[in-house]
Every structure is written in structure tokens, then in C-alpha cells.
Amino acid sequence: MTDTALPDDAADPTTQAVRDIADVAAVEVITAAAVHLMSAAAVKCGLAEDDADGPGSRHRDLDEARKLITALAALVTTSAPDIGSQHARSLRDGLRSLQLAFREASAFPDAPGEGPGEKFTGPVS
């Protein structure tokens, strides 16, 4: 009878998580983080879909959206040279859309260059 038990370290969830992360390219990790920031910022800008409980705008929180968009702008701007133009272009487009959505959702829009993330991207219009 053969012993089919796993070695102690193979059964450890931490070891498995490290192995899983080690197999993922940096560009995928950066892109995934950016997509999470984009999704959260979109919801906080009030862009969530309407559902049975009411309009998506009930989730609007522009203070939170500003923080998320600024973090996204920093990530996209600083990582763009390393992730390549194909990935960076899509992320920049999404970022710009969020910056414009934020401006549109604001009762008192920021001055050009003062909006969320614009210290990293420059004025968005």
C-alpha cells in the first residue's frame, strides 16, 4: 500500500497561497488592483446599477470616491512604464472616465487640476 498523504507544507493554506501568488505575473496583480479600485470608485461616484432596492446613486459617497480615484491615478501613473502601453492605455481610459464622472456628480466641481488624481494625471476635461 502506498502512502498518498501530502507533505506537511503542501497541506498548509499559507504555502498554497504563496505558490498561487508566485505564479501570477506582476502586470496581472497591478491590473487586478486597478480594476478593484475602479469598481469601488464607480460605485462611490453613484454609477452602480439600479436594483430592486433602489437607484445605484444611493451608494454615492464622493469623499470616498476621491480617495479611490487618487489611489488609482497614482497606481496607473507610476506603473504605466512597467506594464506596457497596451495595459496602461485601458487603465488610463478607465481612470479618465471616473475623473469625469466624479466631476459630473459633484455639486461644486473642483477647479481644473484640483480634481481627484489630477496631481498625477494633470487636468482632465
Side-chain angles (χ1 to χ4, degrees):
M1 189 165 173
T2 61
D3 185 12
T4 58
L6 295 172
D8 288 338
D9 66 337
D12 179 23
T14 303
T15 302
Q16 185 59 43
V18 169
R19 285 187 189 141
D20 292 345
I21 291 170
D23 292 337
V24 179
V27 67
E28 291 181 40
V29 174
I30 292 166
T31 303
V35 168
H36 285 295
L37 288 168
M38 280 184 192
S39 298
V43 169
K44 298 297 185 176
C45 281
L47 301 176
E49 277 189 41
D50 293 347
D51 56 26
D53 296 328
S57 62
R58 67 192 161 101
H59 299 294
R60 182 178 295 150
D61 184 338
L62 296 181
D63 182 52
E64 290 288 298
R66 177 181 297 278
K67 294 170 189 169
L68 292 163
I69 294 169
T70 299
L72 175 63
L75 176 63
V76 170
T77 302
T78 59
S79 65
D82 296 319
I83 64 174
S85 62
Q86 177 184 357
H87 297 287
R89 186 178 314 112
S90 300
L91 296 177
R92 280 191 197 109
D93 290 346
L95 170 60
R96 182 176 181 278
S97 295
L98 285 168
Q99 288 171 313
L100 292 172
F102 181 92
R103 177 166 285 138
E104 187 175 307
S106 298
F108 304 99
D110 297 313
E114 300 296 320
E118 289 184 357
K119 68 180 175 183
F120 299 104
T121 64
V124 175
S125 57

